[in-house]
Amino acid sequence: MVAYFSGEGVLATRLKQVAGHLLSPTRPMPSVSLADTWAFKNTMLAADHYLLAATALGLATAPMEGFDALRIRHALKIPERFAIPVVVATGHHESQENAAPKRSPRYAPEEVAYQDEFGRTPAFLKKIAD
């Protein structure tokens, strides 16, 4: 029973939540997140660096959401004690030799950048256009 309440910082988190609730009438307290929340946030920082490094090496990456963590856990034989916060597909582009990078359609800067109010083109964009 003790292991259940003390595993993964659960007991400490609950104590902080109770203390925060009791002290909140006297002074504002930040909300306390569970250990999983912090772990997922820190993992995303590492994943971001991974994406940048892979791109610098010429690899294509695609972080995914909405994946089935249970199936991934089973397929990769990941133990239950580990969470799966992110999945990143990594590989080479379909054909790197002959493929010119496709530029996605973009709006002209004058259509999306405004100065002081909606619809007023910034002065620096007018100078560039002239």
Side-chain angles (χ1 to χ4, degrees), residues 47-57 61:
D48 180 53
H49 283 76
Y50 173 81
L51 296 171
L52 293 171
T55 302
L57 294 172
T61 58

Side-chain angles (χ1 to χ4, degrees), residues 26-75:
T26 58
R27 66 177 203 199
M29 299 292 289
S31 62
V32 178
S33 299
L34 295 175
D36 284 352
T37 304
W38 286 102
F40 277 44
K41 288 179 181 180
N42 287 323
T43 300
M44 294 313 297
L45 290 170
D48 180 53
H49 283 76
Y50 173 81
L51 296 171
L52 293 171
T55 302
L57 294 172
L59 296 170
T61 58
M64 295 183 262
E65 65 177 348
F67 53 85
D68 188 342
L70 203 57
R71 287 185 181 178
I72 291 172
R73 181 180 307 285
H74 179 72

Side-chain angles (χ1 to χ4, degrees), residues 17 23 56 59 75 80 86 90 92 94 99-101 110 118 120 127:
Q17 288 173 335
L23 294 174
L59 296 170
E80 285 291 323
V86 65
T90 306
H92 294 280
E94 193 171 319
E110 301 83 28
F118 187 82
R120 182 182 294 172
K127 290 178 186 176

